[in-house]
Short mmCIF file of all heavy atoms in Angstrom, two decimals:
data_model
loop_
_atom_site.label_atom_id
_atom_site.label_comp_id
_atom_site.label_asym_id
_atom_site.label_seq_id
_atom_site.Cartn_x
_atom_site.Cartn_y
_atom_site.Cartn_z
N LEU Z 186 10.74 -2.93 -3.52
CA LEU Z 186 10.90 -2.94 -4.98
C LEU Z 186 10.05 -1.86 -5.63
O LEU Z 186 10.49 -1.21 -6.59
CB LEU Z 186 10.49 -4.31 -5.53
CG LEU Z 186 11.45 -5.46 -5.23
CD1 LEU Z 186 10.83 -6.78 -5.69
CD2 LEU Z 186 12.79 -5.23 -5.87
N ALA Z 187 8.85 -1.63 -5.12
CA ALA Z 187 7.98 -0.57 -5.65
C ALA Z 187 8.61 0.80 -5.46
O ALA Z 187 8.53 1.66 -6.34
CB ALA Z 187 6.62 -0.62 -4.97
N MET Z 188 9.27 1.01 -4.32
CA MET Z 188 9.97 2.27 -4.08
C MET Z 188 11.12 2.45 -5.07
O MET Z 188 11.29 3.53 -5.64
CB MET Z 188 10.51 2.32 -2.65
CG MET Z 188 11.27 3.59 -2.33
SD MET Z 188 12.18 3.54 -0.77
CE MET Z 188 13.43 2.33 -1.15
N LEU Z 189 11.90 1.40 -5.30
CA LEU Z 189 12.99 1.49 -6.26
C LEU Z 189 12.45 1.78 -7.66
O LEU Z 189 13.00 2.62 -8.39
CB LEU Z 189 13.79 0.19 -6.29
CG LEU Z 189 14.60 -0.13 -5.03
CD1 LEU Z 189 15.26 -1.49 -5.18
CD2 LEU Z 189 15.63 0.95 -4.75
N MET Z 190 11.37 1.11 -8.04
CA MET Z 190 10.77 1.35 -9.37
C MET Z 190 10.23 2.77 -9.46
O MET Z 190 10.34 3.41 -10.51
CB MET Z 190 9.64 0.34 -9.61
CG MET Z 190 10.15 -1.07 -9.83
SD MET Z 190 8.85 -2.35 -9.84
CE MET Z 190 7.58 -1.62 -10.80
N GLY Z 191 9.66 3.27 -8.38
CA GLY Z 191 9.10 4.62 -8.38
C GLY Z 191 10.17 5.69 -8.51
O GLY Z 191 10.02 6.66 -9.26
N ASN Z 192 11.26 5.51 -7.80
CA ASN Z 192 12.35 6.50 -7.82
C ASN Z 192 13.15 6.44 -9.11
O ASN Z 192 13.59 7.48 -9.61
CB ASN Z 192 13.27 6.31 -6.62
CG ASN Z 192 12.65 6.81 -5.35
OD1 ASN Z 192 12.14 7.91 -5.30
ND2 ASN Z 192 12.67 6.00 -4.31
N ASN Z 193 13.37 5.27 -9.65
CA ASN Z 193 14.21 5.13 -10.83
C ASN Z 193 13.46 5.25 -12.15
O ASN Z 193 13.99 5.77 -13.12
CB ASN Z 193 14.97 3.80 -10.79
CG ASN Z 193 15.97 3.77 -9.66
OD1 ASN Z 193 16.66 4.75 -9.41
ND2 ASN Z 193 16.05 2.66 -8.97
N PHE Z 194 12.23 4.76 -12.18
CA PHE Z 194 11.48 4.70 -13.44
C PHE Z 194 10.13 5.39 -13.40
O PHE Z 194 9.39 5.35 -14.35
CB PHE Z 194 11.29 3.25 -13.86
CG PHE Z 194 12.58 2.47 -13.92
CD1 PHE Z 194 12.86 1.50 -12.98
CD2 PHE Z 194 13.50 2.71 -14.92
CE1 PHE Z 194 14.04 0.79 -13.03
CE2 PHE Z 194 14.69 2.00 -14.98
CZ PHE Z 194 14.97 1.03 -14.03
N HIS Z 195 9.79 5.98 -12.24
CA HIS Z 195 8.49 6.62 -12.03
C HIS Z 195 7.33 5.65 -12.29
O HIS Z 195 6.28 6.04 -12.78
CB HIS Z 195 8.35 7.89 -12.88
CG HIS Z 195 9.43 8.88 -12.62
ND1 HIS Z 195 9.41 9.69 -11.50
CD2 HIS Z 195 10.58 9.17 -13.29
CE1 HIS Z 195 10.49 10.45 -11.50
NE2 HIS Z 195 11.22 10.15 -12.57
N SER Z 196 7.56 4.38 -11.97
CA SER Z 196 6.56 3.33 -12.14
C SER Z 196 5.50 3.43 -11.05
O SER Z 196 5.80 3.75 -9.90
CB SER Z 196 7.20 1.95 -12.08
OG SER Z 196 8.10 1.79 -13.13
N LYS Z 197 4.28 3.09 -11.41
CA LYS Z 197 3.19 3.07 -10.46
C LYS Z 197 2.87 1.64 -10.06
O LYS Z 197 3.11 0.70 -10.82
CB LYS Z 197 1.94 3.72 -11.06
CG LYS Z 197 2.10 5.20 -11.29
CD LYS Z 197 0.80 5.80 -11.78
CE LYS Z 197 0.97 7.30 -11.95
NZ LYS Z 197 -0.30 7.93 -12.29
N VAL Z 198 2.35 1.49 -8.84
CA VAL Z 198 1.94 0.19 -8.33
C VAL Z 198 0.54 0.31 -7.74
O VAL Z 198 0.06 1.41 -7.44
CB VAL Z 198 2.91 -0.34 -7.25
CG1 VAL Z 198 4.28 -0.60 -7.82
CG2 VAL Z 198 2.99 0.60 -6.07
N ARG Z 199 -0.10 -0.82 -7.57
CA ARG Z 199 -1.43 -0.87 -6.98
C ARG Z 199 -1.27 -1.28 -5.52
O ARG Z 199 -0.69 -2.33 -5.22
CB ARG Z 199 -2.30 -1.87 -7.73
CG ARG Z 199 -3.74 -1.88 -7.33
CD ARG Z 199 -4.57 -2.76 -8.26
NE ARG Z 199 -4.19 -2.69 -9.66
CZ ARG Z 199 -4.54 -1.71 -10.50
NH1 ARG Z 199 -5.24 -0.70 -10.07
NH2 ARG Z 199 -4.16 -1.74 -11.76
N VAL Z 200 -1.77 -0.45 -4.60
CA VAL Z 200 -1.68 -0.71 -3.18
C VAL Z 200 -3.10 -0.90 -2.65
O VAL Z 200 -3.95 -0.01 -2.79
CB VAL Z 200 -0.98 0.44 -2.42
CG1 VAL Z 200 -0.89 0.13 -0.93
CG2 VAL Z 200 0.41 0.70 -2.98
N ILE Z 201 -3.35 -2.05 -2.02
CA ILE Z 201 -4.65 -2.33 -1.41
C ILE Z 201 -4.47 -2.22 0.09
O ILE Z 201 -3.56 -2.80 0.66
CB ILE Z 201 -5.17 -3.72 -1.80
CG1 ILE Z 201 -5.34 -3.79 -3.32
CG2 ILE Z 201 -6.49 -4.02 -1.09
CD1 ILE Z 201 -5.68 -5.15 -3.87
N PHE Z 202 -5.34 -1.43 0.72
CA PHE Z 202 -5.22 -1.18 2.16
C PHE Z 202 -6.59 -1.16 2.81
O PHE Z 202 -7.61 -1.08 2.13
CB PHE Z 202 -4.48 0.14 2.40
CG PHE Z 202 -5.12 1.32 1.73
CD1 PHE Z 202 -6.02 2.12 2.43
CD2 PHE Z 202 -4.84 1.63 0.41
CE1 PHE Z 202 -6.63 3.21 1.80
CE2 PHE Z 202 -5.43 2.72 -0.20
CZ PHE Z 202 -6.33 3.51 0.49
N ASN Z 203 -6.61 -1.25 4.13
CA ASN Z 203 -7.86 -1.31 4.87
C ASN Z 203 -8.13 0.01 5.58
O ASN Z 203 -7.22 0.64 6.12
CB ASN Z 203 -7.82 -2.45 5.90
CG ASN Z 203 -9.19 -2.80 6.43
OD1 ASN Z 203 -10.20 -2.50 5.80
ND2 ASN Z 203 -9.23 -3.43 7.57
#
Side-chain angles (χ1 to χ4, degrees):
L186 289 173
M188 178 191 68
L189 292 176
M190 289 170 44
N192 285 312
N193 293 318
F194 306 108
H195 303 282
S196 297
K197 293 184 177 186
V198 296
R199 188 172 321 281
V200 180
I201 299 173
F202 56 94
N203 195 21

